Coordinates of all heavy atoms in Angstrom, one line a residue:
F1 N 0.8 -1.2 0.0 CA 0.0 0.0 0.0 C 0.8 1.3 0.0 O 0.5 2.3 -0.7 CB -0.9 0.0 1.2 CG -2.2 -0.7 1.0 CD1 -2.7 -1.6 1.9 CD2 -3.0 -0.4 0.0 CE1 -3.9 -2.2 1.8 CE2 -4.3 -1.0 -0.2 CZ -4.7 -1.9 0.7
S2 N 2.0 1.3 0.7 CA 2.5 2.6 1.1 C 4.0 2.8 0.8 O 4.5 3.9 0.9 CB 2.3 2.8 2.6 OG 2.9 1.8 3.4
Y3 N 4.8 1.7 0.4 CA 6.2 1.9 0.3 C 6.6 2.5 -1.1 O 6.3 1.9 -2.1 CB 7.0 0.6 0.5 CG 7.3 0.3 1.9 CD1 6.4 0.6 2.9 CD2 8.5 -0.3 2.2 CE1 6.7 0.4 4.3 CE2 8.9 -0.6 3.6 CZ 8.0 -0.2 4.6 OH 8.3 -0.5 5.9
P4 N 7.2 3.7 -1.2 CA 7.5 4.3 -2.5 C 8.5 3.4 -3.2 O 8.5 3.4 -4.5 CB 8.1 5.7 -2.1 CG 8.5 5.5 -0.7 CD 7.6 4.6 0.0
G5 N 9.4 2.8 -2.5 CA 10.4 2.0 -3.2 C 9.7 0.8 -4.0 O 10.1 0.6 -5.1
L6 N 8.7 0.2 -3.4 CA 8.1 -0.9 -4.1 C 7.3 -0.3 -5.4 O 7.3 -1.0 -6.4 CB 7.1 -1.6 -3.2 CG 6.4 -2.8 -3.9 CD1 7.4 -3.9 -4.3 CD2 5.2 -3.3 -3.1
F7 N 6.7 0.8 -5.2 CA 6.0 1.4 -6.4 C 7.0 1.7 -7.5 O 6.7 1.4 -8.7 CB 5.2 2.7 -6.0 CG 4.5 3.3 -7.1 CD1 3.4 2.7 -7.6 CD2 5.0 4.5 -7.7 CE1 2.7 3.3 -8.7 CE2 4.3 5.1 -8.8 CZ 3.2 4.5 -9.3
A8 N 8.1 2.3 -7.2 CA 9.1 2.6 -8.2 C 9.7 1.3 -8.8 O 9.9 1.3 -10.1 CB 10.3 3.4 -7.5
I9 N 9.9 0.3 -8.0 CA 10.4 -1.0 -8.6 C 9.3 -1.6 -9.5 O 9.7 -2.1 -10.6 CB 10.8 -1.9 -7.5 CG1 12.0 -1.4 -6.7 CG2 11.1 -3.3 -8.0 CD1 12.3 -2.0 -5.4
T10 N 8.1 -1.6 -9.1 CA 7.0 -2.1 -9.9 C 6.9 -1.5 -11.2 O 6.9 -2.1 -12.3 CB 5.7 -2.0 -9.2 OG1 5.7 -2.7 -7.9 CG2 4.5 -2.5 -10.0
V11 N 6.9 -0.1 -11.2 CA 6.9 0.6 -12.5 C 8.1 0.3 -13.3 O 8.1 0.1 -14.6 CB 6.7 2.1 -12.3 CG1 6.8 2.9 -13.6 CG2 5.4 2.4 -11.6
S12 N 9.3 0.2 -12.7 CA 10.5 0.0 -13.4 C 10.5 -1.4 -14.1 O 10.9 -1.5 -15.2 CB 11.7 0.0 -12.4 OG 12.9 -0.5 -13.0
R13 N 9.9 -2.4 -13.4 CA 9.9 -3.7 -14.0 C 8.9 -3.8 -15.2 O 9.2 -4.4 -16.2 CB 9.5 -4.8 -13.0 CG 10.6 -5.0 -11.9 CD 10.4 -6.3 -11.1 NE 11.3 -6.4 -10.0 CZ 12.6 -6.8 -10.1 NH1 13.1 -7.0 -11.3 NH2 13.3 -6.9 -9.0
I14 N 7.8 -3.1 -15.1 CA 6.9 -2.9 -16.2 C 7.6 -2.2 -17.4 O 7.5 -2.7 -18.5 CB 5.6 -2.1 -15.8 CG1 4.8 -2.9 -14.7 CG2 4.8 -1.8 -17.0 CD1 3.8 -2.1 -14.0
A15 N 8.2 -1.1 -17.1 CA 8.8 -0.3 -18.1 C 10.0 -1.0 -18.8 O 10.2 -0.9 -20.0 CB 9.2 1.0 -17.6
H16 N 10.7 -1.8 -18.0 CA 11.9 -2.5 -18.5 C 11.4 -3.5 -19.6 O 12.1 -3.7 -20.6 CB 12.7 -3.2 -17.4 CG 13.9 -3.9 -17.9 ND1 15.0 -3.3 -18.4 CD2 14.1 -5.3 -18.0 CE1 15.9 -4.2 -18.7 NE2 15.3 -5.4 -18.5
Q17 N 10.3 -4.2 -19.3 CA 9.8 -5.2 -20.2 C 9.4 -4.6 -21.5 O 9.7 -5.1 -22.6 CB 8.5 -5.8 -19.6 CG 8.1 -7.1 -20.2 CD 9.0 -8.3 -19.9 OE1 9.6 -8.3 -18.9 NE2 9.2 -9.2 -20.9
L18 N 8.8 -3.4 -21.5 CA 8.5 -2.7 -22.7 C 9.7 -2.1 -23.4 O 9.8 -2.1 -24.6 CB 7.5 -1.5 -22.4 CG 6.1 -2.0 -21.9 CD1 5.3 -0.8 -21.4 CD2 5.4 -2.8 -23.0
W19 N 10.7 -1.7 -22.6 CA 12.0 -1.2 -23.2 C 12.7 -2.3 -23.9 O 13.2 -2.1 -25.1 CB 12.9 -0.7 -22.0 CG 14.2 -0.2 -22.4 CD1 15.4 -1.0 -22.5 CD2 14.6 1.1 -22.7 NE1 16.4 -0.2 -22.8 CE2 16.0 1.1 -23.0 CE3 13.9 2.3 -22.8 CZ2 16.7 2.3 -23.3 CZ3 14.6 3.5 -23.1 CH2 16.0 3.4 -23.4
E20 N 12.7 -3.5 -23.4 CA 13.4 -4.6 -24.0 C 12.7 -5.0 -25.3 O 13.3 -5.5 -26.2 CB 13.4 -5.8 -23.1 CG 14.4 -5.7 -21.9 CD 15.8 -5.8 -22.3 OE1 16.3 -6.9 -22.6 OE2 16.5 -4.7 -22.4
A21 N 11.4 -4.7 -25.4 CA 10.6 -5.0 -26.6 C 10.7 -4.0 -27.6 O 10.1 -4.1 -28.7 CB 9.1 -5.2 -26.2
G22 N 11.5 -2.9 -27.3 CA 11.8 -1.9 -28.3 C 10.7 -0.8 -28.5 O 10.6 -0.1 -29.5
V23 N 9.8 -0.7 -27.4 CA 8.7 0.3 -27.5 C 9.3 1.7 -27.2 O 9.9 1.8 -26.1 CB 7.6 -0.1 -26.4 CG1 6.6 1.0 -26.4 CG2 7.0 -1.4 -26.8
P24 N 9.1 2.6 -28.0 CA 9.7 4.0 -27.8 C 8.8 4.8 -26.8 O 7.6 4.4 -26.7 CB 9.7 4.6 -29.1 CG 8.7 3.9 -30.0 CD 8.6 2.5 -29.4
L25 N 9.3 5.8 -26.2 CA 8.6 6.8 -25.4 C 7.9 6.3 -24.2 O 8.1 6.8 -23.1 CB 7.5 7.5 -26.3 CG 8.0 8.5 -27.3 CD1 6.9 9.0 -28.2 CD2 8.8 9.6 -26.7
I26 N 7.1 5.2 -24.3 CA 6.2 4.8 -23.2 C 7.0 4.4 -21.9 O 6.7 4.8 -20.8 CB 5.3 3.7 -23.6 CG1 4.2 4.3 -24.6 CG2 4.6 3.0 -22.5 CD1 3.3 3.2 -25.3
P27 N 8.1 3.6 -22.1 CA 8.8 3.2 -20.8 C 9.4 4.5 -20.1 O 9.3 4.5 -18.8 CB 10.0 2.4 -21.4 CG 9.5 1.8 -22.7 CD 8.6 2.9 -23.3
R28 N 9.8 5.5 -20.8 CA 10.4 6.7 -20.1 C 9.2 7.5 -19.5 O 9.4 8.0 -18.4 CB 11.1 7.6 -21.1 CG 12.5 7.0 -21.5 CD 13.4 6.7 -20.3 NE 13.7 7.8 -19.5 CZ 14.7 8.6 -19.6 NH1 15.6 8.5 -20.6 NH2 15.0 9.6 -18.8
I29 N 8.1 7.5 -20.1 CA 6.9 8.2 -19.5 C 6.6 7.5 -18.2 O 6.3 8.2 -17.2 CB 5.7 8.2 -20.5 CG1 6.0 9.0 -21.7 CG2 4.5 8.7 -19.8 CD1 4.9 8.9 -22.8
M30 N 6.6 6.2 -18.2 CA 6.3 5.4 -17.0 C 7.2 5.7 -15.9 O 6.8 6.0 -14.7 CB 6.2 3.9 -17.3 CG 5.1 3.5 -18.2 SD 5.1 1.7 -18.5 CE 3.4 1.5 -19.1
T31 N 8.6 5.5 -16.1 CA 9.5 5.7 -15.0 C 9.6 7.1 -14.6 O 9.9 7.3 -13.4 CB 10.9 5.1 -15.5 OG1 11.3 5.8 -16.7 CG2 10.9 3.6 -15.7
E32 N 9.5 8.1 -15.5 CA 9.5 9.5 -15.0 C 8.3 9.8 -14.2 O 8.3 10.7 -13.3 CB 9.7 10.4 -16.2 CG 11.1 10.3 -16.8 CD 12.2 10.6 -15.8 OE1 12.0 11.3 -14.9 OE2 13.3 10.0 -16.1
Y33 N 7.2 9.2 -14.5 CA 6.0 9.4 -13.6 C 6.3 8.8 -12.2 O 6.0 9.5 -11.2 CB 4.8 8.7 -14.2 CG 3.6 8.6 -13.3 CD1 2.9 9.8 -13.0 CD2 3.1 7.5 -12.7 CE1 1.8 9.8 -12.1 CE2 2.1 7.4 -11.8 CZ 1.4 8.6 -11.5 OH 0.3 8.6 -10.7
A34 N 6.8 7.6 -12.1 CA 7.2 7.1 -10.8 C 8.2 8.0 -10.1 O 8.1 8.2 -8.9 CB 7.7 5.7 -11.0
H35 N 9.2 8.5 -10.9 CA 10.2 9.4 -10.3 C 9.5 10.6 -9.7 O 9.8 11.1 -8.6 CB 11.1 9.8 -11.5 CG 12.2 10.7 -11.1 ND1 12.9 11.5 -12.0 CD2 12.7 11.1 -9.8 CE1 13.8 12.2 -11.3 NE2 13.7 12.0 -10.0
S36 N 8.5 11.2 -10.4 CA 7.8 12.4 -9.9 C 7.0 12.1 -8.6 O 6.8 13.0 -7.8 CB 6.9 13.0 -11.0 OG 5.7 12.1 -11.2
I37 N 6.6 10.9 -8.5 CA 5.7 10.5 -7.3 C 6.6 10.1 -6.1 O 6.3 10.5 -5.0 CB 4.8 9.3 -7.7 CG1 3.8 9.7 -8.8 CG2 4.1 8.8 -6.4 CD1 2.8 10.8 -8.4
T38 N 7.7 9.4 -6.4 CA 8.5 8.8 -5.3 C 9.9 9.5 -5.1 O 10.5 9.3 -4.0 CB 8.8 7.3 -5.6 OG1 9.6 7.3 -6.8 CG2 7.5 6.6 -5.9
G39 N 10.4 10.3 -6.0 CA 11.7 10.8 -5.9 C 12.8 9.7 -6.2 O 14.0 10.0 -6.0
I40 N 12.4 8.6 -6.8 CA 13.3 7.5 -7.1 C 13.4 7.5 -8.7 O 12.4 7.3 -9.3 CB 12.8 6.2 -6.6 CG1 12.8 6.2 -5.1 CG2 13.7 5.0 -7.1 CD1 12.1 5.0 -4.4
D41 N 14.6 7.6 -9.2 CA 14.8 7.7 -10.7 C 15.5 6.5 -11.2 O 16.7 6.3 -11.0 CB 15.7 9.0 -10.9 CG 15.9 9.2 -12.4 OD1 15.4 8.4 -13.2 OD2 16.5 10.2 -12.8
I42 N 14.7 5.6 -11.8 CA 15.2 4.3 -12.3 C 15.0 4.4 -13.8 O 13.9 4.4 -14.3 CB 14.6 3.1 -11.7 CG1 14.6 3.1 -10.2 CG2 15.2 1.8 -12.3 CD1 13.9 1.9 -9.5
H43 N 16.1 4.3 -14.6 CA 15.9 4.3 -16.0 C 15.4 2.9 -16.5 O 15.8 1.9 -15.9 CB 17.3 4.5 -16.7 CG 17.2 4.8 -18.2 ND1 16.9 3.8 -19.1 CD2 17.3 5.9 -18.9 CE1 16.9 4.3 -20.3 NE2 17.1 5.6 -20.2
P44 N 14.4 2.9 -17.4 CA 13.8 1.6 -17.8 C 14.8 0.6 -18.4 O 14.5 -0.6 -18.5 CB 12.7 2.0 -18.8 CG 13.1 3.3 -19.3 CD 13.8 4.0 -18.2
G45 N 16.0 1.1 -18.8 CA 17.0 0.2 -19.4 C 17.7 -0.6 -18.4 O 18.4 -1.6 -18.7
A46 N 17.7 -0.2 -17.1 CA 18.5 -0.9 -16.1 C 18.0 -2.3 -15.9 O 16.8 -2.6 -15.9 CB 18.4 -0.1 -14.8
H47 N 18.9 -3.2 -15.7 CA 18.6 -4.7 -15.5 C 18.7 -4.9 -13.9 O 19.7 -4.7 -13.3 CB 19.6 -5.6 -16.2 CG 19.4 -5.6 -17.7 ND1 18.8 -6.6 -18.4 CD2 19.8 -4.7 -18.6 CE1 18.8 -6.3 -19.6 NE2 19.5 -5.1 -19.8

C-alpha cells in the first residue's frame, strides 16, 4: 500500500519489459511518472 520503493520498482519492471521489446517513449513516460511520485529515478533500461 505505502512503500514508495516498491511502487518505483514495480513501474521499473513494467517499463523495462516494454523497453526490451523496443517500445519507444512509453517506458520513459512510466519511469519518470514514478520518479515524480517517489523521488526515485530508475531508467527503464536498467537490469
Side-chain angles (χ1 to χ4, degrees):
F1 273 129
S2 60
Y3 273 39
L6 181 66
F7 180 72
I9 293 166
T10 300
V11 175
S12 171
R13 293 199 187 281
I14 292 167
H16 180 72
Q17 195 72 31
L18 296 171
W19 177 271
E20 290 287 286
V23 177
L25 289 176
I26 291 174
R28 288 305 300 270
I29 294 172
M30 288 180 164
T31 53
E32 290 305 329
Y33 172 70
H35 182 196
S36 71
I37 296 296
T38 65
I40 299 169
D41 183 359
I42 307 177
H43 192 286
H47 291 259

